[in-house]
Amino acid sequence: MVLPSAYFPPISWFAALLNGEPIFIEQYENYSKQTLRNRCTIDSPNGPLSLSIPIEKSNFVDGKCLMKDVRISTHCDWQHQHWYAFETSYFNSPFFEYLQDDFRPLYEQSWTFLMDFNEAIIAKCCELLDILALPKRTEAYTGITPAADFHPKSYYQVFQHKHAFIPDLSIIDLIFNMGKEAVLFL
């Protein structure tokens, strides 16, 4: 199975890790704007909130760049903004206090390539969820495997009382709300 690189992937992306097949991350595809490659969706006090990592456009040729070569822009304080959004959205979640120190260091270091940052996030999530099947990068272009049917299960969400359950948010929503039990929902 070949999945796209993703910034805090949706829960359905992580469910694919548990299907028993070897998992690869496609690094030779052309970067696609406004996708999960540099964007995640979390639950916030005002409903779903999309967080995007700014991309450096200088290494794009004719509007194209291989995923493995996409650089993160340093022109804004996106790391601080994203971490603040996590704090605001998940401070009252059951596991934020216990798990924030696992994620905060990822936002305190400098990253050059988007794939490296995404890979570090995925590795940290797998570690916290006791998922041993770490994905590897493709060695040549193979294309993305079409997504299998995903049937999300309901779990506790901090703002569920305000705007009902929101399925298939970022994996960080599931982790901060369910802790180690998150793997049971995948």
Side-chain angles (χ1 to χ4, degrees):
M1 175 170 281
V2 181
L3 299 172
S5 178
Y7 172 50
F8 276 115
I11 294 167
S12 58
W13 190 101
F14 267 87
L17 285 179
L18 299 177
N19 75 359
E21 293 181 36
I23 304 293
F24 293 91
I25 304 295
E26 181 58 74
Q27 67 174 339
Y28 289 98
E29 70 171 335
N30 285 322
Y31 169 77
S32 299
K33 295 189 311 184
Q34 300 180 351
T35 62
L36 53 82
R37 286 149 187 85
N38 72 319
R39 180 176 296 201
C40 72
T41 303
I42 63 171
D43 193 9
S44 77
N46 298 318
L49 175 64
S50 182
L51 302 174
S52 297
I53 299 172
I55 301 303
E56 188 69 49
K57 302 290 188 211
S58 64
N59 58 332
F60 281 64
V61 178
D62 295 328
K64 295 182 180 180
C65 183
L66 293 180
M67 235 352 261
K68 70 181 188 67
D69 298 325
V70 173
R71 293 175 180 267
I72 296 173
S73 176
T74 58
H75 289 89
C76 68
D77 195 11
W78 69 270
Q79 289 171 297
H80 173 74
Q81 293 169 7
H82 288 207
W83 188 254
Y84 181 74
F86 292 142
E87 287 181 323
T88 302
S89 297
Y90 297 110
F91 183 77
N92 291 321
S93 68
F95 295 94
F96 181 80
E97 180 181 350
Y98 304 104
L99 299 173
Q100 67 178 324
D101 291 338
D102 289 298
F103 292 108
R104 186 182 302 120
L106 296 171
Y107 289 86
E108 294 172 344
Q109 68 184 89
S110 179
W111 297 91
T112 302
F113 293 100
L114 179 61
M115 283 220 39
D116 294 339
F117 183 56
N118 289 349
E119 192 172 66
I121 286 171
I122 291 166
K124 179 53 70 178
C125 291
C126 286
E127 173 191 327
L128 293 172
L129 297 172
D130 293 326
I131 296 174
L132 302 177
L134 281 177
K136 295 180 171 97
R137 293 184 187 193
T138 56
E139 294 183 13
Y141 179 74
T142 57
I144 305 297
T145 305
D149 286 338
F150 174 69
H151 305 286
K153 297 176 188 174
S154 180
Y155 59 90
Y156 170 81
Q157 291 177 335
V158 176
F159 303 107
Q160 190 169 350
H161 66 283
K162 290 178 78 174
H163 44 256
F165 175 76
I166 303 170
D168 209 22
L169 289 172
S170 166
I171 190 69
I172 200 157
D173 184 79
L174 184 62
I175 290 172
F176 282 151
N177 284 310
M178 301 306 297
K180 292 274 188 192
E181 290 183 18
V183 75
L184 302 175
F185 291 84
L186 298 175

